[in-house]
Amino acid sequence: MAPRNPYSFAPMVAVTSLRARSYRISFLVALSVAISLFLFWRGSAHIEVQDWPQEPPAQPSARDARCIDFPDPGNIAIAVKTGATEAVEKIPVLMRTSLQCAENVMIFSDLEQDVAGYHLYDALANVSESAMEGNPDFDFYKKLKEAEKYGQIEKMMTGSNDPRKPSNMAAWTLDKYKQLHVLEDLYAEYPDKDWYLMIDADSYIVWHNLLTWLKRMPNPRRNKLYIGSPTQIDGKLFAHGGSGIFLSQAAMHEFAVVNKGIASKWDKPMKEHCCGDFIIGVALKEMGIDLIHAWPTINGEKPLTLPFGPSHWCQPFITMHHVGPEEMNDIANFELSREHKKKPLIFAELYTAFVKGILPDKLDKWDNQCGDEKTDVDSYETCQKKCEDDEKCFQFNYDGKQCAMCHSIHLGYSMPSEGEPGMRSGWLVGRINEWVNKQPPCKPEFLKIKAPN
């Protein structure tokens, strides 16, 4: 639902910036004037493709080995935040892949409805009429209810723009009003859990990594823990919502019980702010609860956009974001195909499964997400030479004026543009392979979270 970069991410040390051979992607390269687009996520005979059921399971463990090895311990409550215009596309695959072992899940939308057997709660049901009155942000919410009467939600509402900021989607603008209410409603339903997570419908949780990591945490009933991938607005730190917001029992009790009604308090002021996850951080800070940084363990990227390299290699990770339904299916199939399913899943495995062996030397109309160093140059060849001369550079791109270089390995994505050649991306494949081959065997260690002072 949200655009790719809803915030300006802070340049911090720890800030959130399929299969070929045995477990790699098969890529189809479409040729026109030049190679411009990879067609992702199609088959390898070596990976057993799970036939995901079309109905919710009565017992998740009945159809996924992950649930047998790592059953839900019963101490975690998860809130999934979505919207009516995307729920049909995203919710079923999320619940049948990433979250199929999770037992205590509530799905929140901007409309109460049932999708493929999963109930969606209206996250805005408790917003007062006085808070909505005169606020055009809620026009979309009111129109949704009208569209529901005619069974035309997707046709009538998909693509609606924010009346105040036409460049933004109306669903994204409305989204910020949900998040504090989601936390309150989640705690009201599950007041006795140790851990509370809020994710988006395009977030992917690595389930067995999550359970292993939470076991190593400080006591969640004694410590007020607010954990996430940090970003900032106006110098104020908060956990990026799509990457996942993690709260301990003690923190949620402070939020939802000691400060009961905090969501309603922010309903009217929210109009002047960009994002609900930002206000969660502000509210918790006012309660004396500071954000604990957990990047890159809690991550806002996915295999195509992860910056593989020194900062993303031997570490286990818990979440990814902006994962489309087809990608989510492929990641789940990859998890099932792993030989050692009980071992922590680390970034290096994702690189081997999703990227290694399919990096090209060059692609036109492609953004490989470089930005570690930027300079103006006169040609693609000059940009390539600059990267070759920098021993830390793995890849680069040239937009016709500016050369951007990377000290990490990104695959990136197609970037269609008018005219030729558009953004042109290049990879020093030999240097990349040399670096990968020199890496010693990984000894995965989970990020250690310390109890606040």
Side-chain angles (χ1 to χ4, degrees):
M1 180 195 328
R4 173 147 189 83
N5 291 312
Y7 319 117
S8 175
F9 287 83
M12 303 163 53
V13 173
V15 173
T16 301
S17 7
L18 248 159
R19 308 177 301 201
R21 297 185 189 173
S22 297
Y23 305 124
R24 300 179 192 166
I25 310 172
S26 281
F27 264 84
L28 297 177
V29 181
L31 296 176
S32 54
V33 177
I35 301 175
S36 64
L37 181 62
F38 280 132
L39 299 177
F40 294 91
W41 325 112
R42 290 292 183 269
S44 163
H46 297 87
I47 288 188
E48 178 183 352
V49 177
Q50 177 84 355
D51 182 15
W52 301 108
Q54 296 303 306
E55 294 297 332
Q59 294 181 337
S61 60
R63 58 180 172 77
D64 191 332
R66 294 174 300 172
C67 306
I68 298 174
D69 294 333
F70 293 90
D72 190 319
N75 66 340
I76 306 167
I78 300 175
V80 177
K81 181 172 59 64
T82 188
T85 57
E86 67 169 18
V88 172
E89 177 189 15
K90 295 181 178 180
I91 290 301
V93 69
L94 171 69
M95 296 301 294
R96 294 164 191 161
T97 56
S98 175
L99 294 184
Q100 72 165 315
C101 303
E103 296 179 1
N104 305 311
V105 180
M106 293 184 74
I107 307 169
F108 293 91
S109 182
D110 36 30
L111 187 70
E112 184 164 7
Q113 59 182 148
D114 292 301
V115 172
Y118 300 99
H119 187 70
L120 277 58
Y121 296 88
D122 183 354
L124 303 171
N126 293 325
V127 177
S128 68
E129 287 294 332
S130 61
M132 296 186 196
E133 186 177 355
N135 185 347
D137 292 353
F138 286 95
D139 290 352
F140 179 81
Y141 180 57
K142 296 170 184 176
K143 290 177 182 177
L144 266 179
K145 294 183 178 298
E146 186 69 19
E148 182 191 21
K149 294 179 184 178
Y150 303 103
Q152 299 287 315
I153 292 174
E154 292 188 15
K155 285 187 177 181
M156 293 175 66
M157 305 306 298
T158 300
S160 299
N161 293 326
D162 180 348
R164 291 195 295 161
K165 296 181 180 179
S167 60
N168 291 348
M169 300 297 292
W172 165 248
T173 300
L174 185 64
D175 184 80
K176 64 186 179 182
Y177 295 92
K178 301 173 190 172
Q179 299 190 34
L180 278 76
H181 287 281
V182 166
L183 291 180
E184 284 188 343
D185 291 348
L186 182 67
Y187 191 80
E189 182 69 19
Y190 299 108
D192 61 343
K193 303 307 177 187
D194 289 339
W195 293 102
Y196 298 85
L197 283 60
M198 182 166 68
I199 61 172
D200 287 351
D202 61 352
S203 305
Y204 190 97
I205 292 178
V206 181
W207 180 252
H208 73 288
N209 279 6
L210 170 68
L211 299 192
T212 304
W213 191 47
L214 292 183
K215 286 180 181 178
R216 303 171 184 221
M217 291 285 185
N219 189 320
R221 295 182 176 269
R222 295 179 182 175
N223 296 282
K224 299 174 184 178
L225 305 175
Y226 165 45
I227 306 170
S229 181
T231 187
Q232 63 179 334
I233 293 175
D234 297 332
K236 297 178 180 179
L237 285 171
F238 63 99
H240 174 235
S243 304
I245 297 174
F246 291 63
L247 291 161
S248 66
Q249 164 63 227
M252 278 290 275
H253 184 270
E254 181 74 24
F255 179 89
V257 178
V258 177
N259 291 273
K260 186 177 181 179
I262 188 69
S264 295
K265 172 187 172 182
W266 279 100
D267 282 341
K268 288 186 178 180
M270 189 69 75
K271 180 181 179 182
E272 306 307 322
H273 297 279
C274 80
C275 321
D277 47 4
F278 168 60
I279 297 302
I280 289 173
V282 170
L284 289 170
K285 180 70 174 178
E286 291 176 352
M287 299 171 195
I289 303 174
D290 291 325
L291 174 65
I292 297 174
H293 300 198
W295 178 91
T297 301
I298 300 175
N299 210 290
E301 301 299 334
K302 61 181 179 178
L304 297 187
T305 61
L306 279 165
F308 296 107
S311 69
H312 288 68
W313 199 250
C314 286
Q315 307 94 325
F317 59 97
I318 309 301
T319 62
M320 292 179 280
H321 189 216
H322 297 296
V323 182
E326 195 169 351
E327 296 168 309
M328 199 166 287
N329 184 74
D330 288 328
I331 295 169
N333 283 329
F334 164 68
E335 283 201 77
L336 289 172
S337 74
R338 296 175 70 225
E339 182 178 358
H340 303 290
K341 296 180 178 64
K342 294 185 180 181
K343 290 186 177 182
L345 178 57
I346 61 175
F347 290 114
E349 283 188 76
L350 279 190
Y351 175 81
T352 300
F354 290 78
V355 177
K356 184 179 180 181
I358 51 85
L359 286 175
D361 294 315
K362 179 176 68 174
L363 280 176
D364 289 344
K365 296 186 179 181
W366 193 271
D367 182 1
N368 64 5
Q369 297 186 296
C370 285
D372 292 330
E373 181 181 337
K374 295 183 178 182
T375 55
D376 288 345
V377 299
D378 58 3
S379 69
Y380 174 86
E381 290 71 23
T382 302
C383 184
Q384 179 175 348
K385 183 64 165 56
K386 284 180 67 66
C387 185
E388 291 171 345
D389 291 344
D390 180 351
E391 62 182 16
K392 294 182 179 179
C393 183
F394 287 124
Q395 59 186 64
F396 58 95
N397 63 51
Y398 179 64
D399 64 4
K401 179 180 179 182
Q402 195 169 62
C403 174
M405 301 194 299
C406 272
H407 298 157
S408 52
I409 307 161
H410 308 243
L411 185 55
Y413 45 84
S414 174
M415 190 175 180
S417 61
E418 295 182 4
E420 299 294 341
M423 180 173 283
R424 177 178 290 177
S425 292
W427 292 261
L428 304 186
V429 176
R431 180 178 292 179
I432 291 171
N433 290 339
E434 181 180 4
W435 182 88
V436 170
N437 292 335
K438 284 183 178 180
Q439 299 313 300
C442 286
K443 297 179 180 179
E445 293 186 7
F446 282 88
L447 177 69
K448 185 175 181 180
I449 300 296
K450 297 181 180 179
N453 295 327

